[in-house]
Amino acid sequence: MIYTVTFNPSLDYIVKVDSFRLGEVNRTRSEKILPGGKGINVSIVLKNLGIESVAMGFIAGFTGNEIQKRLKIFGCESDFIRIQNGMSRINVKLKSDEESEINGQGPRIGGADLQKLFDRIDRLREGDVLVLAGSIPNTLPEDIYEKILDRIKAKNILVVVDATRDLLLNVLKYHPFLIKPNNHELGELFGRKLQSDEEIIQCAKELQTKGARNILVSMAGEGAILVEESGRTHKSPAPKGVVRNSVGAGDSMVAGFLAGYLAHGDYQEAFRTGIAAGSASAFSEELASKEDILALMMQI
Ligand SMILES: Nc1ncnc2c1ncn2[C@@H]1O[C@H](COP(=O)(O)OP(=O)(O)O)[C@@H](O)[C@H]1O
Ligand SMILES: O=P(O)(O)OC[C@H]1O[C@](O)(COP(=O)(O)O)[C@@H](O)[C@@H]1O
């Protein structure tokens, strides 16, 4: 079974405003609320591709209920831990001449709640897949991803991590099967802006020396680069299309890569499916459907 963990699920409030003006009353052209958070998005796209997973993590308050309800409508199985106080965050995605995001902090997660997650993690079995994705509420210790991976290190579990900065760096020693920084996040890890493919490949290889197995570097409209565990590299431009909502494009790419790899055991096929899924989501108002993904795969 595939398990996704989202420490900080959200309702994504996606608003389109023509020529947003700071400090003034702005009216929306359209608005939409979608369940969000990186692991949750991975679960939704996997489901769209016909692959079952269980979405885990923490939810709280009326927003938490709504996240759970909407996931059920999408047909996704979930096994969230319900926190008694606070509420799951609402992340604002403002689409205007430029795209801006405000991602909330999320509820306070206490020790007893965390223990419930550990208990679920301890039930994972050989051959399962674990996707750890997204930020953590600032009340949690920075080594929480490490603590989880430490618990499963003796089992043969395929681990995918989509996180930033130290959260990501500190788990490399557990040899995650896949990490997916975007080019800016990769640069951030090395304290510089990466200008060329060569620099990106060099930094990705540096992360391999620290333990990562496969590194998928997404570059939004520029496509992506994959550095396989063998050191072989692939680059592909993104397919062409009209961008409607790129929220969740990275998570869709992770889902596509996993789906392609699990179906074919082949990195090139995984890479193709990942790019198609990322771009199909960017070209849709919501996350990518299977039809959209298959159609874009023809172009890659
Ligand atoms: N503007 C775009 N045009 C075409 N494809 C896109 C666009 N934005 C994202 N994608 C696709 O989605 C993938 C992930 O997007 P990216 O924005 O890099 O991830 P993240 O959301 O993690 O920052 C890209 O590699 C690409 O395949
Ligand atoms: O956990 P973080 O880093 O705050 O990110 C959460 C946000 O990222 C998303 O999962 C989208 O991520 P991507 O665009 O990187 O795929 C949103 O649904 C959510 O609001």
Side-chain angles (χ1 to χ4, degrees):
M1 179 52 86
I2 303 177
Y3 296 90
T4 63
V5 178
T6 310
F7 276 93
N8 214 347
S10 59
L11 282 179
D12 289 348
Y13 180 51
I14 299 159
V15 278
K16 294 193 177 167
V17 176
D18 292 326
S19 309
F20 177 78
R21 291 178 305 277
L22 200 63
E24 292 184 28
V25 173
N26 295 267
R27 305 273 174 197
T28 67
R29 181 157 50 82
S30 73
E31 57 214 43
K32 195 179 260 292
I33 294 182
L34 295 171
K38 299 199 188 304
I40 285 178
N41 289 337
V42 172
S43 277
I44 294 172
V45 176
L46 284 174
K47 180 70 194 180
N48 291 352
L49 285 167
I51 300 170
E52 298 298 326
S53 70
V54 179
M56 301 199 293
F58 302 94
I59 50 171
F62 75 98
T63 41
N65 296 343
E66 191 63 24
I67 292 167
Q68 195 167 27
K69 192 175 106 192
R70 285 173 183 249
L71 264 184
K72 203 167 171 193
I73 294 170
F74 285 130
C76 294
E77 199 184 320
S78 65
D79 185 19
F80 290 116
I81 294 147
R82 178 164 291 282
I83 295 171
Q84 292 315 318
N85 298 312
M87 60 175 237
S88 295
R89 58 194 177 148
I90 296 175
N91 289 345
V92 179
K93 316 286 172 174
L94 172 63
K95 316 266 164 199
S96 191
D97 303 330
E98 285 185 275
E99 295 196 349
S100 312
E101 304 194 14
I102 306 176
N103 290 356
Q105 287 186 18
R108 191 181 171 282
I109 300 169
D113 294 316
L114 203 49
Q115 186 55 46
K116 288 184 192 159
L117 179 70
F118 289 153
D119 293 344
R120 281 164 168 76
I121 295 289
D122 290 345
R123 281 185 231 134
L124 264 63
R125 294 195 301 233
E126 299 279 322
D128 284 339
V129 177
L130 179 66
V131 180
L132 293 178
S135 65
I136 54 170
N138 58 12
T139 49
L140 279 182
E142 271 288 321
D143 62 352
I144 189 65
Y145 273 28
E146 287 169 82
K147 286 204 166 99
I148 290 180
L149 295 191
D150 204 56
R151 294 181 96 89
I152 60 164
K153 66 174 186 231
K155 297 181 192 166
N156 177 27
I157 289 171
L158 216 59
V159 172
V160 178
V161 180
D162 185 3
T164 54
R165 298 172 185 245
D166 284 352
L167 215 49
L168 178 61
L169 271 187
N170 294 339
V171 299
L172 298 182
K173 56 179 178 277
Y174 293 100
H175 305 290
F177 166 72
L178 177 71
I179 60 173
K180 194 221 68 66
N182 65 32
N183 49 338
H184 307 294
E185 292 161 352
L186 183 64
E188 225 171 59
L189 294 175
F190 292 88
R192 61 196 163 100
K193 202 167 171 336
L194 304 179
Q195 311 280 5
S196 66
D197 292 353
E198 289 66 36
E199 281 181 275
I200 289 176
I201 292 168
Q202 189 214 334
C203 288
K205 288 192 167 169
E206 181 75 33
L207 295 186
Q208 276 181 327
T209 66
K210 295 184 193 296
R213 288 174 57 193
N214 296 288
I215 295 135
L216 179 55
V217 185
S218 64
M219 305 183 298
E222 301 300 308
I225 290 176
L226 171 69
V227 180
E228 275 185 31
E229 54 189 335
S230 65
R232 192 172 163 209
T233 61
H234 307 252
K235 175 170 186 204
S236 172
K240 295 280 166 268
V242 177
V243 177
R244 298 213 153 77
N245 173 19
S246 60
V247 174
D251 309 335
S252 305
M253 175 171 237
V254 169
F257 187 95
L258 256 185
Y261 182 77
L262 295 175
H264 304 281
D266 174 70
Y267 289 127
Q268 188 151 341
E269 204 50 30
F271 187 50
R272 272 184 78 218
T273 323
I275 293 192
S279 296
S281 280
F283 301 157
S284 314
E285 290 294 342
E286 300 196 8
L287 294 175
S289 68
K290 184 174 184 171
E291 295 67 38
D292 293 341
I293 296 171
L294 293 179
L296 285 189
M297 277 183 78
M298 308 286 211
Q299 285 189 39
I300 301 164

